[in-house]
């Protein structure tokens, strides 16, 4: 069996970095696409392609994929992890806020997946993994655009599964709870967000990025061909559900 190749968006830190390192440890050749440089991620992976680019820009996505194929020759797994989640009262949300969140959280997975599809089809086997959010199910009122974007991503995943099944490509979503990452600590940790979310979980601790790794590896596993169109809710048994 040929060595599999994976692309992870938002790989500079947090969940994306954890996913990239975990896939490399499983034997994948890995490339990361992020708006920011990825020196920490690259330092943890022996054979890594660092692609600095905007996941909402078709040209930059295409150029990044060309570099990946030049280096590795093939592509099998796409993890659409890049995302933003600003919290703001709905009345204060501007049209530009809405468009920016939709571009990054929903349009970018579409653009990356569409650009990667010819390479996945050529490989004859593939996995699309979209990182949604368990917040879709609890729907906090200060994150209306974010919830809408992630709900759209779940719908995109379900429809994509049927569209890509004839090519041996699955599409699934992972919906984490509030994971402790540099971004969530900066945007939500200071005002008690972790404590509020943790109080509604059966597992009374804040998840760390490694808590999502086993789910990712299950979804991309060779034996998971019959798993597609699903959203795996990894939220510590949230009592909101």
């Amino acid at each position: 069996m040929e060595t599999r190749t994976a692309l992870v968006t938002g790989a500079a830190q947090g969940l994306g970095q954890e996913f990239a390192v975990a896939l490399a440890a499983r034997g994948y050749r890995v490339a990361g696409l992020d708006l920011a440089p990825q020196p920490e991620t690259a330092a943890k992976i022996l054979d890594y392609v660092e692609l600095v680019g905007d996941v909402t820009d078709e040209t930059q996505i295409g150029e990044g994929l060309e570099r990946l194929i030049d280096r590795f020759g093939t592509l099998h797994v796409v993890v659409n992890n890049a995302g933003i989640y600003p919290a703001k009262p709905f009345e204060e949300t501007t049209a530009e806020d809405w468009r920016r969140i939709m571009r990054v959280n929903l349009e970018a997975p579409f653009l990356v997946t569409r650009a990667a599809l010819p390479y996945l089809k050529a490989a004859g086997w593939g996995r699309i993994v979209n990182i949604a959010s368990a917040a879709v199910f609890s729907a906090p009122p200060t994150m209306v655009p974010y919830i809408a974007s992630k709900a759209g991503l779940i719908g995109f995943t379900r429809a994509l599964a049927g569209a890509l099944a004839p090519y041996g490509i699955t599409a699934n979503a992972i919906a984490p709870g509030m994971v402790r990452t540099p971004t969530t600590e900066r945007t939500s940790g200071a005002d008690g967000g972790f404590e509020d979310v943790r109080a509604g979980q059966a597992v009374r601790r804040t998840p760390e990025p490694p808590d999502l790794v086993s789910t990712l590896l299950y979804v991309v596993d060779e034996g998971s061909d019959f798993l597609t169109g699903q959203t795996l809710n990894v939220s510590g048994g949230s009592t909101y559900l």
Side-chain angles (χ1 to χ4, degrees):
M1 184 180 299
E2 66 177 323
T3 301
R4 302 297 194 194
T5 300
L7 171 68
V8 180
T9 68
Q13 62 178 358
L15 273 179
Q17 182 180 108
E18 194 73 30
F19 289 157
V21 172
L23 288 166
R26 184 55 67 95
Y28 283 80
R29 299 174 299 182
V30 180
L33 175 61
D34 201 301
L35 195 59
Q38 305 146 52
E40 292 183 8
T41 309
K44 297 180 179 183
I45 300 174
L46 183 61
D47 192 9
Y48 183 72
V49 175
E50 178 182 352
L51 306 173
V52 178
D54 186 344
V55 292
T56 68
D57 186 302
E58 291 183 77
T59 299
Q60 293 183 38
I61 293 168
E63 291 171 350
L65 284 169
E66 288 178 4
R67 281 191 56 207
L68 183 157
I69 296 300
D70 286 344
R71 175 75 169 271
F72 294 139
T74 189
L75 177 63
H76 304 88
V77 172
V78 174
V79 182
N80 286 307
N81 167 77
I84 55 175
Y85 37 93
K88 182 186 289 188
F90 178 67
E91 294 87 348
E92 298 176 15
T93 301
T94 67
E96 181 51 37
D97 291 334
W98 176 275
R99 286 190 288 265
R100 177 170 173 263
I101 292 168
M102 290 296 170
R103 280 198 303 269
V104 176
N105 291 358
L106 186 55
E107 185 175 330
F110 159 73
L111 293 175
V112 172
T113 300
R114 187 180 64 173
L117 185 56
Y119 305 114
L120 299 175
K121 290 171 67 174
W125 182 96
R127 301 281 188 260
I128 303 293
V129 186
N130 296 319
I131 306 304
S133 173
V136 167
F137 308 108
S138 58
T142 58
M143 304 180 76
V144 173
Y146 175 78
I147 300 305
S149 69
K150 292 299 187 177
L153 188 59
I154 290 173
F156 171 63
T157 303
R158 289 180 61 82
L160 194 62
L164 302 188
Y167 308 108
I169 302 168
T170 66
N172 291 287
I174 298 173
M178 184 183 283
V179 180
R180 189 184 301 279
T181 67
T183 302
T184 54
E185 287 186 324
R186 183 176 66 253
T187 59
S188 305
D191 60 0
F194 289 122
E195 291 77 7
D196 292 344
V197 172
R198 189 164 61 237
Q201 296 174 181
V203 180
R204 294 300 179 92
R205 68 175 177 82
T206 298
E208 306 285 342
D211 290 310
L212 278 296
V213 165
S214 62
T215 305
L216 174 72
L217 295 179
Y218 165 59
V219 170
V220 303
D221 191 80
E222 300 282 346
S224 295
D225 286 328
F226 215 61
L227 177 75
T228 196
Q230 303 305 303
T231 299
L232 284 71
N233 184 16
V234 189
S235 62
S238 172
T239 55
Y240 291 109
L241 304 182

